[in-house]
Amino acid sequence: ALAPRRGWVRVGLEQRLAAPAVVSAATARPFAAAAKPTKKGAQWTKQEKAKDKPSRRRRPLMTKPVDDVYLTWLYRRPFYDLEQAVGMLKKFQQLDFTYPKQFVYINVFLDMALKKKKLDPFSGAVVLPHRFTDEVKKVLVFTENEQEAEIARENGADIVGGLELMKWILEDEIQADFYVAVPAIISKLTPLRNKLKRKFPSTRRNSLGTDIPKMVQLFRECHEYAVQDERVIKTRIARLDMPTEHIIANLKTVIHDICTFKPPIYDPIVQRLVIRSSTSEGLQVNLDGILPQVEKVEEKEEEEESGDHEDEAEKPVQEPVST
């Protein structure tokens, strides 16, 4: 009834039911844009244009702001003397009414590069001159000597024993913060090396030796730190309510211990030092007077070699004796 003329509906229906013709691959993607032929040297011209473009020069950072309100990213980060930085942290606490006994932290940025390789991330333990926590570590001592075992117990060792402890450690029935051993038993503890990893007794960590009282006391009361992110040490060193002299002494003790992990013939391992409290911003500290004064060995060797050459020059030359 709606068709304008006879046969219009049937013709349209026949066209819809007819089998579709074979479509080429190009027409099968009606929404794909036709690929333009690439011109030779187009990429090269873009690179040349990028080179010809003048690079935006960054404005040099200014040293000291002249106003109380300023953009920090326009100015260089200031350096403070250690005593001045600690005094500022104490002042921040008073102005902000924060907890007076909060921890003081340091972030130490390291130079791990050697001549042909890098230092592996390490961990250390040191006894601070002024303790700021009552925390006592759990120490295990390996020894098969009854007299040495008794000395270890008298000095505060939590677990003392011989090879019978290996099975319990491998099965996680016994755990300790630090593991100490005497040289006589260390060769028998090889199966524990993969289990304990860095905690395995070694002379480098001062956990292998004959002075049992000294080792036990060190690890019961020590302060432990470790390298994070391949080149940064983040650790707490004191409480903010401690005297400034005590905070500085603890900081220098940690820094001097860190410096022992890199030979003195290279550049200092400590590159940058930032100190902060739990609620304050970080203050960049001037390293003058903090790093240990170490004379480079290379200079001494050159002086000795030059002295040897001078001695050889002063020696009279012996003439060969004719036969």
Side-chain angles (χ1 to χ4, degrees), residues 193-213:
R193 187 177 293 276
N194 293 333
K195 178 69 176 179
L196 301 181
K197 296 181 180 179
R198 291 185 182 178
K199 293 184 178 181
F200 189 80
S202 66
T203 54
R204 184 68 187 85
R205 290 177 54 86
N206 298 319
S207 56
L208 175 62
T210 56
D211 194 346
I212 295 178

Side-chain angles (χ1 to χ4, degrees), residues 55-72:
S55 58
R56 295 183 62 184
R57 293 183 179 180
R58 186 175 180 180
R59 184 178 179 180
L61 297 178
M62 293 177 282
T63 55
K64 190 176 181 181
V66 295
D67 199 356
D68 294 338
V69 180
Y70 59 94
L71 298 174
T72 56

